[in-house]
Structure formats: C-alpha cells, structure tokens
Amino acid sequence: MENQGRIFKVFTANSNPKLAAAIAKELGCELGKAEVKHFSDGEISVSIQESVRGADCFIVQSTCNPVNENLMELLIMIDAIKRASAARITAVIPYFGYARQDRKAKPREPISAKLVSNLLTTAGVDRILTLELHTLQIQGFFDIPLDHIISAPLFTSYIKEKGDFDPNEFVILAPDFGSVSRARQFSMRLGCPIAIIDKRRPRANVSEVLNIIGEVKDKKIILIDDIIDTAGTLCNAANAIVEKGGAKEVYAYVAHGVLSGNAVEKLQNSVIKKVVFLNTIDIPKEKMLDKFVVLNVAPILSEAIKRINKDMPISAMILE
C-alpha cells in the first residue's frame, strides 16, 4: 500500500516566487502564508502566518542574485519554521549559490560551498532538494540527505520533442573539462559524439580557448554547461568552435541563467543561435532575448516533493 505521507506545506521567500507558485499549482495546493520583508536598516524579517506544527515543510528558494540576501532569507525562514515545530524541513534550492567555491584553488582561500552547507544544517534544515549542482562533490558537504536532480533528461526530452533532431548531424560540446560528465549524459541520451574545449583562466570570469578536442567540422553543436554567469566561457567556446573548428551552428543548453554583467549583450552578439535555460532563476523581461528559451522545472520538482513527502524512492527520476 502506498504511503500517503504527512501533511505538507510549500513556502517561498523572494528569490523566485513564480517558480514556487508553479510548484504549488502542480501539487494542487496553495503556497503557505508567510511574509518576508526588510527593516529600514536592511535586516530581514520573516513571519510564518499559519500553523506548521507536525507538517512536512518545503521552502523554495534559489540562492541567486542578490545571493547573500536570498541565502539569509532562506536561513531565517528555516529557523522560523523549525521553531514553529514543523516535523521536517526540506530546502528546495533550484539554484545553489556559492557552488563554484567548492575547493581551495590556492592558499588561504575559503571553501564557501561547505560553509553554506554548514549554515543550512545549523539553521535546522533536515533535507536538501537541488538541481544541477556545479560539482557533484558538493553533495558530500552535507551530513543530511541531499537529492540532486540533473538537467540532461529535461533538455534532451525538449530536443527530441522538436522532431527534427538527427544525431548524426550533432556533436555535444563541453566548454571545459569540468563539463565532460554533463556532456556524457547528453551523449548517452541523444547518441551523439562528444567534443571538449581545452581552456585556461588567466583570472576570474575570464577564459581563453587553447584547443578543441574532437571532430566538429560541418557539425551542429549542442554546447552544454550548468551556469551562464558573465557568458565569457560560453561565447568564447561557441566562437572558437565555429571559427577554429568549422562547426555549422551552435545551440547552448544551460541550467542556470545567472546573466551578470554584460552577459546578455555578449550572448546577443555571439554565434549562438539559441540558448535554452531552466527557470531555476527568474530571468527578468529586460534580459530576455528572442534567442532565449526557458523550460519549466516545476513538474519535476513537484514530483520530487511528492516522493519525499511519501518517503518514496526518487532514484527512478532524473537523479545523479
């Protein structure tokens, strides 16, 4: 007999209320009543305006720009719900900020992703549900359960549903060696070969293409990554694959559209014909280009929430 699960409630702070509302709609419930506001000095105030005693609570909050503000909103909301005697709290973090600071690249640097995991645990969260972490080892930073949804099946389903996909025409391109595992996930699902960009970073947010590993001449390219931040890496890879490699067309599939600085301008002027994102971060209208497509992750996150609530396995879903 299927476990019916305990009473569950879905709350949101201010980072992506549209996605939270879409998740609640998929679940057939209303968002929990909560108020997240700021005092005049910038301090965050959270008020949970309904009972959560004994409930299974899910807080939807991406830790995107403004990163520190959204992170603090999440931490304070966790504390508020914990103190209100919730049975369990799951932080649903579609985009996990600070994930790129996952190691000491040089002496006297922090491992900020580990610090954030400690903060979340100390605040009182019982479980994490997230999507397309920058690196998989971040899962090991938590001493609580973490469910990680990968984006490849969402993107590859979209590609196949278009009806004009021929695997013989395409090559999956990893813009750096860190993206090779993502490229393999696409390759296994689409049956396309892989190519890799060999690059170096002379300084933060700057990349230079050194070599192209793989055959890309006269091919259509599916360029994959987890994040577009300043868009330098993606645009440099796309330009190199066309100018140096002789590729026909470039399409980018990226989970999280951070789009800081002049990223939108770079993408508009790049050779990339289309950029497909997930709605883990709400892209404002002024940043939307005609070449942007945004896919909805609410159905898959809501399914994961249902399974977590009912203590059912979610390995059959798109997890890594």
Side-chain angles (χ1 to χ4, degrees):
M1 182 176 174
E2 183 181 306
N3 180 4
Q4 296 301 307
R6 62 174 67 88
I7 294 172
F8 70 88
K9 301 195 175 198
V10 179
F11 292 89
T12 185
N14 292 323
S15 74
N16 199 339
K18 290 180 186 175
L19 176 57
I23 290 170
K25 185 177 180 181
E26 290 282 341
L27 291 167
C29 67
E30 293 186 0
L31 283 173
K33 294 180 177 66
E35 184 178 60
V36 182
K37 59 183 181 180
H38 296 78
F39 293 115
S40 58
D41 66 350
E43 286 186 9
I44 294 165
S45 170
V46 173
S47 173
I48 307 302
Q49 299 176 336
E50 63 181 80
S51 174
V52 296
R53 185 177 295 271
D56 198 4
C57 294
F58 297 84
I59 306 172
V60 181
Q61 176 82 337
S62 282
T63 49
C64 51
N65 185 44
V67 179
N68 298 330
E69 187 170 302
N70 286 328
L71 176 59
M72 280 303 298
E73 287 183 359
L74 175 59
L75 293 171
I76 294 170
M77 184 171 275
I78 290 168
D79 184 72
I81 292 175
K82 187 78 172 179
R83 293 176 187 277
S85 301
R88 180 172 63 179
I89 303 170
T90 300
V92 182
I93 310 175
Y95 168 69
F96 189 93
Y98 283 104
R100 286 172 284 180
Q101 298 185 52
D102 62 327
R103 66 194 183 282
K104 288 182 67 173
K106 55 186 178 183
R108 296 175 297 281
E109 282 192 339
I111 305 178
S112 302
K114 172 58 177 169
L115 174 61
V116 171
S117 75
N118 289 345
L119 289 170
L120 287 163
T121 304
T122 300
V125 77
D126 298 295
R127 193 178 194 99
I128 304 290
L129 172 62
T130 190
L131 195 149
E132 201 60 61
L133 285 168
H134 182 62
T135 53
L136 294 179
Q137 64 258 32
I138 293 170
Q139 296 173 86
F141 292 176
F142 288 88
D143 294 323
I144 57 176
L146 183 148
D147 297 309
H148 179 228
I149 298 177
I150 62 172
S151 60
L154 294 168
F155 284 137
T156 54
S157 294
Y158 169 79
I159 292 168
K160 290 177 179 177
E161 286 167 5
K162 289 181 65 62
D164 56 355
F165 174 73
D166 181 353
N168 297 315
E169 294 181 343
F170 285 84
V171 170
I172 312 300
L173 178 66
D176 52 37
F177 287 102
S179 296
V180 171
S181 64
R182 290 188 187 90
R184 286 201 190 101
Q185 290 161 7
F186 272 69
S187 177
M188 287 188 296
R189 289 172 170 85
L190 296 177
C192 302
I194 295 174
I196 305 166
I197 293 286
D198 176 22
K199 72 173 186 182
R200 71 183 183 99
R201 282 193 181 276
R203 58 187 185 276
N205 292 123
V206 176
S207 65
E208 295 176 358
V209 174
L210 300 178
N211 299 294
I212 299 168
I213 303 168
E215 181 54 54
V216 297
K217 186 174 175 57
D218 297 326
K219 295 289 187 179
K220 296 178 182 178
I221 303 300
I222 295 175
L223 177 54
I224 57 97
D225 212 345
D226 62 315
I227 297 169
I228 295 182
D229 188 355
T230 62
T233 293
L234 207 76
C235 292
N236 287 346
N239 291 335
I241 212 71
V242 172
E243 294 169 8
K244 295 181 181 180
K248 276 184 182 180
E249 299 171 353
V250 181
Y251 303 86
Y253 288 78
V254 182
H256 312 296
V258 175
L259 301 177
S260 61
N262 62 343
V264 173
E265 182 182 350
K266 287 179 186 175
L267 290 166
Q268 177 73 294
N269 297 327
S270 74
V271 298
I272 300 172
K273 295 192 69 174
K274 181 167 65 176
V275 187
V276 184
F277 298 104
L278 303 178
N279 62 339
T280 56
I281 298 173
D282 185 25
I283 301 174
K285 288 183 180 179
E286 62 269 20
K287 288 190 174 183
M288 283 296 293
L289 300 176
D290 291 339
K291 64 169 70 177
F292 288 180
V293 175
V294 180
L295 305 184
N296 184 18
V297 298
I300 196 66
L301 288 175
S302 63
E303 178 62 25
I305 287 171
K306 286 179 189 175
R307 288 170 177 260
I308 290 169
N309 173 251
K310 295 179 180 179
D311 294 322
M312 292 172 59
I314 53 180
S315 56
M317 295 173 60
I318 52 174
L319 300 177
E320 181 67 16

